[in-house]
Amino acid sequence: MAGIRISILLGILFLGGAVQAQLVREGKITYERRTNLWKIFEDDRMRQFVGEKNKIKVEDFTLYFNDTASLFSYVTPDQPDPQSWLTMKNTVYNLFAKKQRFVYMDMMGNSMTVGDSLVKHTWKITDKTRKIAGYECTRVIWQKNDSTRIYAWYTTDIIPTVGPENIQGLPGAVLGLATEDGSIVYFAKKVDIIAPTPEQITQPKKKGKQYTEAELIAELKQKLKGQPFGDQIITGMFYW
């Protein structure tokens, strides 16, 4: 009888371990983004406008995904935010088979769509790990330029190469993303193992004029030439 009980317990433990090790191929990830507006806007006038009380802006985003596509979008809060315009809230649709991405953005009341190839980042994998939303994640580093590092944490337990914004290309899903100075930080709050409905993962309709990334940057540089925050606006639109 004792042997039977031990066998049952071992079976339960084994099954429990199997569930924990289940590889995820489709689902929904909910991210929280924390933006330090005082680090984004170093101008004293903008800091005074934002106020110290409101310098950390917290916003939620969802990422629906499967092995063919992903759709990343902003979650509109129940209560309107009068300072919502201070941060970018791009919708990003990735189509993996065709290696395409579509970014839907709004700037100063103007809607536009960027249609281009998937972004390629060069990541350095480290031996540092942390648990995010219940998943063991490995830290990687992208040296964006001479002065900017981006950190990401990915898990191989979620197979599709997905993540917030334009981030993809790692051997699994990115559950954490942060600038080195902590000005913008994404962390997954929850992972739901579900099959997205067609509506949840269908490519959105084009908004406004469609550009490649290079075409839009060139047009914005011309339009914002001489403006005090011109370069900062463009950098914010194409940070990742």
Side-chain angles (χ1 to χ4, degrees):
M1 184 65 72
I4 292 174
R5 285 199 297 268
I6 291 172
S7 296
I8 292 172
L9 287 172
L10 287 173
I12 291 171
L13 289 171
F14 176 78
L15 287 172
V19 171
Q20 287 292 327
Q22 179 185 5
L23 297 178
V24 178
R25 299 179 182 276
E26 56 186 358
K28 171 190 174 185
I29 304 172
T30 302
Y31 295 92
E32 178 183 88
R33 182 177 73 183
R34 300 178 68 86
T35 305
N36 188 321
L37 296 173
W38 275 27
K39 290 184 177 180
I40 298 295
F41 301 107
E42 297 179 354
D43 182 81
D44 287 339
R45 292 169 298 174
M46 282 299 295
R47 288 187 172 186
Q48 289 175 8
F49 171 77
V50 170
E52 185 171 5
K53 179 182 176 182
N54 300 314
K55 70 178 181 180
I56 304 298
K57 180 170 285 298
V58 181
E59 296 160 313
D60 285 348
F61 291 78
T62 57
L63 176 68
Y64 288 95
F65 67 92
N66 56 28
D67 58 0
T68 61
S70 67
L71 180 60
F72 175 80
S73 57
Y74 172 64
V75 178
T76 304
D78 295 332
Q79 298 296 323
D81 177 7
Q83 294 188 346
S84 177
W85 59 274
L86 290 170
T87 56
M88 294 295 295
K89 299 171 182 63
N90 296 338
T91 296
V92 182
Y93 181 79
N94 285 335
L95 193 57
F96 304 125
K98 295 185 177 180
K99 298 182 179 179
Q100 293 178 328
R101 66 181 161 104
F102 296 87
V103 184
Y104 306 86
M105 54 180 66
D106 293 285
M107 187 183 73
M108 295 179 287
N110 296 313
S111 298
M112 58 205 78
T113 300
V114 173
D116 219 320
S117 56
L118 294 175
V119 179
K120 294 182 180 179
H121 302 96
T122 301
W123 298 99
K124 177 184 176 182
I125 298 178
T126 74
D127 58 359
K128 296 184 181 296
T129 61
R130 66 179 295 174
K131 188 160 284 190
I132 303 173
Y135 291 85
E136 194 69 25
C137 296
T138 299
R139 191 183 80 169
V140 293
I141 302 171
W142 167 37
Q143 189 72 43
K144 181 181 177 181
N145 52 44
D146 291 342
S147 60
T148 307
R149 277 185 174 183
I150 304 296
Y151 295 92
W153 290 262
Y154 75 93
T155 177
T156 55
D157 291 335
I158 302 176
I159 295 176
T161 174
V162 297
E165 300 283 359
N166 292 314
I167 300 299
Q168 46 74 46
L170 285 160
V174 172
L175 299 185
L177 180 67
T179 58
E180 188 172 24
D181 66 353
S183 56
I184 306 173
V185 178
Y186 283 96
F187 276 113
K189 299 196 298 183
K190 185 180 180 183
V191 177
D192 294 304
I193 305 175
I194 60 171
T197 66
E199 294 77 16
Q200 290 170 334
I201 205 163
T202 295
Q203 181 177 351
K205 294 181 179 179
K206 185 179 76 171
K207 296 173 63 177
K209 183 178 177 181
Q210 183 163 318
Y211 303 81
T212 65
E213 183 173 312
E215 288 170 345
L216 182 53
I217 289 175
E219 183 172 307
L220 288 173
K221 282 185 176 180
Q222 185 63 34
K223 288 183 175 180
L224 297 173
K225 189 175 182 179
Q227 296 297 319
F229 301 109
D231 290 341
Q232 197 170 355
I233 289 170
I234 295 171
T235 299
M237 292 179 69
F238 300 97
Y239 204 90
W240 311 103

